[in-house]
Amino acid sequence: MTGGEALVRTLQAEGVRYVFGNPGTTEIPLMDALENVEDIQYVTALFEGVAVGMADAYARSTGKPSFVNLHISVGIANGLSLIYNAWRGGTPMVITAGQADTKIHLHNPTLYSNMVNVMREYTKWAGEVTHPGDVAPIMRRAFNIAATPPTGPVFVSLPWNALVGEDHIAVNSPLEVSRGRPDSDLVGQAATILKNSSKPIILIGDRVAQSIGAPDAIGKFASLLGAPVYALSYSEVNIPSSHPLYMGSVYTSWLSPRYKALIDKADVAIAIGADLVTQMMPTPPVFSESTSLVHVDAHASEIGKTYTPKVGISGDIRVAVDELTNRLQGILQDQDRDVIRKRSEAINAEKLDSKSNLARKVSSSQSKRPMSPDVMMSALAKALPNNAIVCNDAISNSGALLTAIETDNPGDLFSTRGGSLGWGMPGALGLKLASPDRPVVAVVGDGSAMYTIQSLWTSVVFEIPVVYIICNNKSYRILKQAMERYLAHSEKKSQYIGLDFDKKPLDFVKMAQAFDMKGVRVESPDELIAAVKTALESKQTEIIDVVVDGAIDVQSLRSDWRSWEDYDLLR
């Protein structure tokens, strides 16, 4: 068989249902081979970032590697921003691109470049197949590497002669990857440290959700320990959000001194499946010597990368947390449990008080126009059905969204991660393909939506119905917030050069009409609730263009960042 046929048979063996791509001349052999099978659908994107965004979300939802096929060199370049997100987030993806025939590589053929060198920077592994007989085994290796924790994207370059050439090729069954067990002695040491702690804190990250069953295990562990849980990243359900000890997410890019003070109060911090700590701007060390650190992770190289733990435990996160819970359960005394119960009650009371304060704030702002992000997201929460999947690319409004909605089950929430804009529009389509029986509601910032607006074409042509809710604040609001932190020690009033869209506001209703879909503009909570329910009932893609307040609290942003100078006073 040809290398192209071997590639398609390998995809079938791996259970691939969709090829996400934007083709070019070098991909023709694959496109031809796909015509001979009926169980794999090619999903066309008009821009490579759309293909990558769909594949990223599909893989995260299914928990299995997705397959992407991009055009040689320039196609890779166009998809690189969302490939970067997949790399930072650890999404299992197999990314491929056609390549010129190896016989003419040294003659600088059209569009040729060394794509393997480029992609090594943003993948777990990258390689090039040079012979048709190697296509199947190398693709098998690619799927295995992508799926093995710590998961992540891989890249395979497919030269023309490797795809059109023939050989005797065997296509084998996919590999099964076992869970890695943690070191028992280290688990025991960690349990002893936690038993003796008086003010423990739990810090979780997105590798929790990548371990099946781990979010519930985290909840049980937190209840046993009686510790508040903070998410250093919450792009998926890493713990049921309604858990009485879950206190919300921490925005780490511009880390607030309040969270440094919070961690300083803890005598023990246990980080689970989290990078410590992903920041945009440097700050004083997040962990001080007075806080003992325990780090549990499937990504062994993350343990001790920046902060040295007292105990570092490498292994599958659910298995590790289960064993740590069992070990701690066995050594706790009755007096320990009394202390833990009182501590848990105090933490939950703080959480309930915070929710009550927010509810009062939302209630008092109902009539204000444009709607505040909190009012908007509170209304959205009322409109969402229980089985909805929320695709979060709300950027500066993300905090309000995550505070308003409850996401208790794995698969309820998927958020952009990595930092590059444009994920939400295609991501919603990938989530819908992965869970066709569940409604998908994407909450997307207006600026981010424009990065991959071509997703609307794919949604219509391939009949992938989702509801897009655009947070239209007519600006890059998150950059205005960053500007105010930057100006923390200045009296200057920024002109926000390049950050406003008000000279030509983005009209998403007209954009919807251009793609032959319904669009509606809303300005009040009641209008939003009605529009969401109507859109979901239609079972077609619709855009809800929400006018939301883009104002920022200048004084609060500046004073918060400025207080890094005297954060010791906050302890």
Side-chain angles (χ1 to χ4, degrees):
M1 71 177 78
T2 67
E5 291 169 337
L7 172 57
V8 172
R9 291 195 185 183
T10 302
L11 298 183
Q12 289 177 309
E14 292 288 343
V16 171
R17 294 182 58 194
Y18 300 103
V19 173
F20 301 98
N22 179 270
T25 302
T26 49
E27 289 69 50
I28 284 176
L30 171 60
M31 310 303 289
D32 179 55
L34 284 171
E35 291 185 9
N36 301 322
V37 299
E38 296 181 354
D39 55 345
I40 299 177
Q41 182 180 15
Y42 189 95
V43 182
T44 307
L46 299 185
F47 175 64
E48 289 83 356
V50 174
V52 176
M54 286 191 289
D56 178 279
Y58 184 84
R60 290 168 61 183
S61 183
T62 62
K64 299 178 180 179
S66 56
F67 183 79
V68 184
N69 185 242
L70 303 178
H71 191 30
I72 177 176
S73 298
V74 292
I76 288 294
N78 281 342
L80 203 54
S81 61
L82 292 186
I83 291 173
Y84 177 86
N85 279 4
W87 172 63
R88 289 301 298 258
T91 303
M93 296 166 55
V94 176
I95 305 165
T96 60
Q99 176 62 287
D101 193 306
T102 58
K103 292 190 292 291
I104 58 173
H105 278 191
L106 294 181
H107 300 281
N108 198 25
T110 302
L111 293 178
Y112 171 79
S113 71
N114 191 327
M115 295 183 289
V116 173
N117 277 0
V118 173
M119 293 296 284
R120 279 185 179 135
E121 184 73 21
Y122 306 108
T123 56
K124 286 183 65 180
W125 176 83
E128 183 170 271
V129 180
T130 58
H131 188 277
D134 288 333
V135 171
I138 294 301
M139 292 308 300
R140 172 75 72 251
R141 182 195 301 182
F143 275 93
N144 184 44
I145 293 173
T148 301
T151 58
V154 301
F155 173 72
V156 181
S157 172
L158 300 168
W160 181 272
N161 50 311
L163 292 178
V164 302
E166 296 186 0
D167 201 349
H168 297 289
I169 305 172
V171 177
N172 298 315
S173 301
L175 299 171
E176 294 290 334
V177 180
S178 63
R179 292 176 180 265
R181 302 198 71 86
D183 183 278
S184 180
D185 290 341
L186 294 176
V187 171
Q189 292 176 33
T192 300
I193 291 173
L194 292 166
K195 176 191 178 298
N196 294 328
S197 66
S198 59
K199 292 182 179 179
I201 187 173
I202 301 173
L203 305 171
I204 58 175
D206 284 331
R207 281 186 293 277
V208 171
Q210 293 172 0
S211 175
I212 297 173
D216 284 337
I218 293 286
K220 293 176 182 176
F221 171 69
S223 296
L224 178 65
L225 181 60
V229 182
Y230 290 87
L232 298 182
S233 51
Y234 196 84
S235 73
E236 296 181 27
V237 178
N238 296 313
I239 185 175
S241 65
S242 64
H243 191 285
L245 301 181
Y246 177 59
M247 305 300 285
S249 300
V250 177
Y251 181 61
T252 63
S253 286
W254 292 76
L255 186 69
S256 169
R258 296 193 308 272
Y259 292 111
K260 162 65 175 171
L262 188 73
I263 294 172
D264 279 350
K265 291 178 181 178
D267 60 343
V268 175
I270 176 167
I272 305 175
D275 296 342
L276 299 179
V277 173
T278 304
Q279 295 177 257
M280 175 69 73
M281 292 295 155
T283 64
V286 176
F287 296 92
S288 61
E289 293 183 0
S290 61
T291 302
S292 296
L293 176 64
V294 175
H295 196 166
V296 179
D297 215 314
H299 199 330
S301 64
E302 285 296 327
I303 299 174
K305 184 178 74 174
T306 304
Y307 297 99
T308 303
K310 294 285 186 182
V311 178
I313 300 174
S314 175
D316 178 82
I317 289 174
R318 196 216 69 195
V319 174
V321 173
D322 280 346
E323 292 191 6
L324 185 55
T325 300
N326 291 336
R327 192 70 67 91
L328 183 61
Q329 179 83 42
I331 60 176
L332 288 176
Q333 304 297 316
D334 289 342
Q335 60 268 31
D336 298 322
R337 298 180 193 278
D338 289 338
V339 171
I340 289 171
R341 177 180 54 78
K342 293 176 182 177
R343 192 164 63 210
S344 297
E345 290 173 351
I347 296 166
N348 184 234
E350 181 183 345
K351 176 174 182 173
L352 294 176
D353 186 55
S354 178
K355 291 182 68 173
S356 296
N357 289 338
L358 177 61
R360 285 192 292 270
K361 177 182 175 183
V362 169
S363 178
S364 65
S365 305
Q366 287 291 308
S367 60
K368 184 179 180 295
R369 300 292 178 270
M371 285 185 289
S372 72
D374 286 326
V375 170
M376 173 191 169
M377 299 310 176
S378 176
L380 174 59
K382 295 175 183 176
L384 290 175
N386 292 333
N387 66 334
I389 298 174
V390 176
C391 176
N392 172 30
D393 193 18
I395 312 301
S396 67
N397 297 303
S398 182
L401 173 63
L402 295 180
T403 301
I405 63 174
E406 284 193 353
T407 51
D408 284 348
N409 301 304
D412 284 353
L413 169 75
F414 295 90
S415 301
T416 184
R417 58 191 184 189
S420 179
L421 296 183
W423 176 83
M425 298 296 285
L429 304 182
L431 295 177
K432 184 64 177 179
L433 289 173
S435 301
D437 296 329
R438 296 183 64 181
V440 175
V441 177
V443 188
V444 186
D446 51 356
S448 186
M450 293 305 298
Y451 277 58
T452 45
I453 198 68
Q454 307 93 330
S455 303
L456 299 180
W457 182 90
T458 300
S459 175
V460 171
V461 171
F462 290 89
E463 299 180 346
I464 311 171
V466 300
V467 176
Y468 289 110
I469 298 176
I470 307 298
C471 306
N472 197 334
N473 55 33
K474 297 188 291 185
S475 67
Y476 287 129
R477 181 170 177 258
I478 196 167
L479 295 182
K480 291 184 178 182
Q481 293 172 330
M483 177 65 77
E484 295 307 332
R485 295 186 182 97
Y486 170 75
L487 295 173
H489 300 280
S490 170
E491 298 299 323
K492 179 181 178 180
K493 183 178 180 180
S494 178
Q495 299 179 43
Y496 303 128
I497 294 174
L499 305 185
D500 284 308
F501 311 150
D502 50 0
K503 288 186 178 179
K504 183 62 178 176
L506 300 171
D507 190 333
F508 289 91
V509 174
K510 289 183 179 178
M511 293 184 214
Q513 293 168 350
F515 290 96
D516 198 26
M517 62 178 60
K518 181 181 177 181
V520 60
R521 188 176 178 88
V522 303
E523 299 185 18
S524 73
D526 290 341
E527 290 175 350
L528 176 57
I529 292 172
V532 171
K533 291 182 177 179
T534 299
L536 290 171
E537 289 170 358
S538 75
K539 299 188 183 303
Q540 295 180 346
T541 295
E542 294 191 10
I543 291 183
I544 302 173
D545 191 1
V546 184
V547 180
V548 62
D549 192 2
I552 60 174
D553 189 339
V554 173
Q555 182 177 354
S556 175
L557 288 164
R558 291 193 181 194
S559 63
D560 184 58
W561 189 249
R562 193 163 53 238
S563 64
W564 268 117
E565 293 183 345
D566 56 356
Y567 71 88
D568 285 341
L569 301 177
L570 299 176
R571 294 183 182 179

